[in-house]
């Protein structure tokens, strides 16, 4: 891969919570990381190792205490909250363990939300792409139902395609299959892997499930706020 | 636009909650509208009753100054100031004064009037009366007697009078019947051509209205008037207009407000207590909206977090909750105004005055309800907009 494919660079990132020295908790200790276009990355590690904190910093939802984060070569450290919000809408997608669909919106409208955030309104022009995306996870016929009428597994699939609405460069997924049964988990992973291969969208998936991690081509292991391993699953997950 | 779309969906989604708070706002606004309309009705009724037989402004000639008495012999001059004899002083150059009164900004109409006391006699009965003489066309713009005629016509010619209903009843007078009027100037016979009822016993039982010329003849004051009566465009600006009239004419101008201080004090006290009730009602409405939206913000923490993560700006989140407050305010105002009108209409049947919800009251209710909704939503909206997306998403999990 060339340098042109570099999307995200973390350099010496520290993150601590708390102001006073005696109460300060350091969660990340000098993380260096590069994410390239088309990567499918699993982020693994025990609870409290700093995975979600790292994901929040990568996703511009939180700021590093020290260190540099570059997205497509641009340092985002000094960006205002509004600029970070715009950047999130432009280049990032998110999937969380809980889908957080808006129950008062239809399934299609939920998928359209990232486009609405970028364009300032839910618009009929956004619907064809939303329905098309829903078709990829077998839910096109559910487009006009309310999100609350779907099963948990279906709702999570909707949340996954919602993250892809704006054709993001990177999708961060925090335990996207954590609330799903095995079959639903595998369906979601099948879709993510397939999408990653076809569209070259970069995925970073936080997971505790070795089976999910094994389906990724690169695995990052975190322990106590340190990135202790970075490599193919067969090396890192031994 | 996205904020409005989300606000509508959020409100539609929690239908029970929305219906309950909308009902609360509706009741609050209805109470506001009803109280406002009722108090306005009471005020208008009291003022109308008071001013039904009073000019808004009465312009009087200045009282006669005290006269010094000089001893006729001339050697010893005694200067003694005594009160003048109670006699009427002619209204000096009233035609000129009339022109100036009519030209004063804020004056709608003016009418030269001569009034004096006398006695009405019919057969063996007699009654103290007040003779009021004025040009009928001008007088009807000051006191609308034609609109309150019970019978007859409003065109008293020479030696014809229009009298109050109570006086007619007490003296057994009917249309076309003659009666005698005795004043300090003499006695004359007149004929009743109309009977009116202004709703005030003092007026209906004492007033004998006739043309200015007949009154001048009856009261022995040819060519004279006792006052220039005027109506004003703005009822409650009568004091200011009276001051302007006084400045222009150099005469004493007395407004209805100065003559009816007790009434104004009562109206003011009523207005203050009504304002207090309205403020408390609106506070209750505001707290209702604020509490519901505050709960909604907590309930939607995760959704707010994911919206922020997807790139929805903080100000859109702020606007989403402000829209909810505004929509509740507008919806409550429309329903509450309708309910207030309904309750007012029902009460109107049993009270002796009109309860009218005019466009200004409705617009006022809409504006106040909208502002209350927005004000109430401000704190929850700011809380939602300032939410840290990562913490919001974590907190809901």
């Amino acid at each position: 891969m060339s340098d042109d494919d570099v999307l995200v660079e973390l350099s010496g990132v520290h993150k601590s919570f708390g102001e006073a020295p005696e109460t300060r908790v350091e969660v990340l200790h000098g993380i260096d990381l590069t994410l390239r276009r088309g990567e499918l990355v699993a982020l693994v590690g025990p609870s409290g190792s700093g995975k979600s904190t790292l994901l929040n910093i990568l996703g511009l939802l939180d700021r590093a205490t020290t260190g540099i984060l570059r997205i497509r070569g641009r340092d985002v450290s000094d960006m205002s909250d509004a600029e970070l919000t715009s950047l999130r809408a432009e280049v990032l997608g998110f999937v969380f363990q809980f889908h957080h669909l808006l129950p008062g919106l239809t399934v299609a409208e939920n998928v359209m939300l990232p486009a609405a955030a970028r364009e300032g309104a839910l618009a009929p022009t956004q619907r064809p792409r939303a329905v098309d995306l829903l078709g990829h996870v077998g839910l096109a016929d559910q487009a006009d139902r309310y999100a609350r009428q779907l099963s948990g597994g279906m709702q999570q699939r909707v949340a996954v395609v919602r993250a892809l609405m704006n054709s993001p460069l990177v999708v961060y997924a925090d335990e996207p299959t954590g609330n799903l049964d095995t079959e639903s988990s595998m369906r979601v992973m099948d879709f993510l892997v397939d999408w990653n291969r076809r569209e070259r969208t970069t995925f970073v998936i936080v997971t505790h499930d070795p089976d999910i991690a094994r389906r990724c081509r690169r695995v990052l292991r975190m322990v106590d706020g340190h990135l202790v391993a970075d490599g193919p699953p067969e090396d890192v997950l031994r | 636009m996205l904020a409005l779309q989300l606000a509508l969906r959020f409100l539609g989604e929690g239908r029970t909650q929305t219906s309950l708070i909308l009902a609360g706002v509706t009741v609050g606004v209805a109470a506001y509208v009803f109280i406002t309309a009722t108090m306005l009705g009471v005020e208008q009724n009291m003022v109308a009753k008071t001013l039904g037989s009073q000019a808004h402004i009465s312009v009087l000639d200045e009282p006669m100054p005290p006269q010094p008495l000089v001893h006729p012999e001339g050697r010893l001059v005694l200067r003694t100031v005594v009160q003048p004899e109670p006699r009427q002083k002619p209204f000096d150059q009233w035609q000129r004064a009339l022109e100036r009164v009519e030209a004063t900004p804020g004056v709608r109409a003016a009418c030269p009037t001569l009034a004096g006391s006398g006695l009405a006699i019919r057969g063996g009965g007699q009654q103290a009366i007040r003779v009021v003489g004025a040009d009928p066309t001008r007088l009807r713009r000051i006191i609308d007697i034609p609109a309150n005629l019970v019978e007859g016509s409003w065109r008293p010619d020479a030696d014809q009078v229009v009298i109050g209903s109570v006086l007619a009843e007490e003296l057994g007078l009917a249309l076309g019947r003659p009666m005698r009027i005795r004043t300090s100037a003499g006695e004359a016979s007149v004929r009743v051509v109309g009977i009116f009822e202004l709703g005030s016993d003092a007026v209906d039982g004492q007033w004998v209205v006739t043309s200015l010329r007949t009154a001048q003849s009856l009261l022995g004051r040819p060519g004279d008037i006792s006052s220039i009566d005027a109506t004003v465009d703005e009822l409650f600006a009568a004091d200011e207009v009276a001051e302007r009239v006084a400045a222009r004419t150099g005469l004493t101008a007395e407004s209805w407000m100065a003559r009816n201080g007790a009434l104004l004090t009562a109206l003011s006290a009523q207005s203050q207590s009504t304002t207090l009730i309205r403020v408390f009602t609106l506070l209750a409405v505001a707290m209702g909206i604020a509490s519901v939206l505050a709960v909604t913000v907590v309930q939607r923490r995760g959704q707010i977090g994911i919206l922020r993560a997807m790139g929805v700006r903080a100000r859109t989140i702020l606007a989403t909750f402000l829209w909810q407050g505004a929509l509740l305010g507008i919806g409550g105002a429309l329903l509450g105004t309708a309910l207030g009108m309904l309750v007012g209409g029902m009460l109107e049947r049993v009270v002796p005055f009109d309860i009218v919800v005019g466009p200004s009251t409705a617009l006022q209710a809409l504006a106040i309800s909208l502002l209350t909704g927005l004000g109430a939503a401000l704190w929850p909206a700011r809380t939602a907009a300032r939410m840290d997306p990562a913490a919001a998403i974590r907190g809901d999990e």
Side-chain angles (χ1 to χ4, degrees), chain A residues 128-149:
Chain A
R129 174 162 172 81
V131 175
D132 179 54
L133 284 168
L134 285 166
H136 283 95
V137 289
L139 293 173
D141 57 340
Q142 307 291 322
D144 293 321
R145 297 184 74 190
Y146 283 98
R148 59 175 177 266
Q149 296 172 309

Side-chain angles (χ1 to χ4, degrees), chain A residues 11-229:
Chain A
S11 176
V13 164
H14 289 258
K15 177 68 182 177
S16 55
F17 294 100
E19 292 295 320
E22 63 272 18
T23 57
R24 187 182 301 153
V25 178
E26 187 127 0
V27 182
L28 298 180
H29 304 272
I31 304 289
D32 298 312
L33 177 66
T34 301
L35 297 173
R36 290 187 167 78
R37 185 170 168 78
E39 284 192 304
L40 182 58
V41 183
L43 182 57
V44 300
S47 295
S49 59
K51 304 186 296 294
S52 292
T53 303
L54 177 60
L55 205 70
N56 287 338
I57 289 171
L58 287 168
L60 310 178
L61 296 173
D62 205 351
R63 290 176 188 269
T65 307
T66 57
I68 293 170
L69 167 60
R70 288 193 182 86
I71 292 185
R72 287 193 295 190
R74 186 178 171 193
D75 186 354
V76 302
S77 313
D78 295 329
M79 280 189 175
S80 67
D81 285 347
E83 286 173 317
L84 292 179
T85 302
S86 294
L87 196 57
R88 279 202 302 271
E90 290 297 322
V91 300
L92 303 181
F94 295 90
V95 185
F96 294 95
Q97 185 172 359
F98 187 72
H99 53 77
H100 292 303
L101 297 181
L102 272 58
L105 270 62
T106 64
V107 169
E109 286 171 336
N110 267 287
V111 177
M112 288 152 64
L113 272 174
R118 198 170 58 181
E119 294 166 21
L122 286 165
T125 49
Q126 299 153 358
R127 186 181 157 86
R129 174 162 172 81
V131 175
D132 179 54
L133 284 168
L134 285 166
H136 283 95
V137 289
L139 293 173
D141 57 340
Q142 307 291 322
D144 293 321
R145 297 184 74 190
Y146 283 98
R148 59 175 177 266
Q149 296 172 309
L150 303 188
S151 69
M154 285 172 156
Q155 288 180 330
Q156 191 63 349
R157 274 142 66 194
V158 175
V160 168
V161 294
R162 177 180 63 186
L164 302 171
M165 181 68 192
N166 283 352
S167 304
L169 296 175
V170 188
V171 173
Y172 296 112
D174 194 354
E175 300 273 8
T177 60
N179 281 336
L180 301 180
D181 55 41
T182 309
E183 189 191 334
S184 297
S185 296
M186 285 306 131
R187 269 186 96 164
V188 167
M189 276 312 294
D190 288 345
F191 171 71
L192 292 181
V193 170
D194 181 54
W195 189 272
N196 165 260
R197 194 177 57 245
R198 284 193 293 113
E199 304 291 331
R200 293 195 68 211
T201 304
T202 303
F203 285 89
V204 179
I205 302 166
V206 171
T207 182
H208 283 105
D209 185 342
D211 292 335
I212 298 288
R214 269 191 204 96
R215 300 196 60 180
C216 299
R217 289 187 294 280
R218 181 183 175 192
V219 178
L220 309 172
R221 178 184 292 282
M222 288 194 72
V223 176
D224 296 335
H226 296 273
L227 201 54
V228 295

Side-chain angles (χ1 to χ4, degrees), chain A residues 56 61 82 85-86 88-89 94 96-98 100-106 109 113-114 116-117 120-122 148 162, chain B residues 1-3 5-6 9-10 13 15 300 302-303 306-314 388-390 393-394 396-397:
Chain A
N56 287 338
L61 296 173
T85 302
S86 294
R88 279 202 302 271
F94 295 90
F96 294 95
Q97 185 172 359
F98 187 72
H100 292 303
L101 297 181
L102 272 58
L105 270 62
T106 64
E109 286 171 336
L113 272 174
L122 286 165
R148 59 175 177 266
R162 177 180 63 186
Chain B
M1 184 64 178
L2 179 61
Q5 289 172 324
L6 289 175
R9 300 309 175 89
F10 281 178
E13 192 183 304
R15 279 201 189 96
R300 296 189 185 281
Q303 293 172 18
I306 197 76
L307 284 168
R308 295 281 288 117
M310 284 189 294
V312 174
R313 290 170 179 271
D388 171 20
I393 293 164
R394 270 199 312 272
D396 218 42
E397 286 172 354

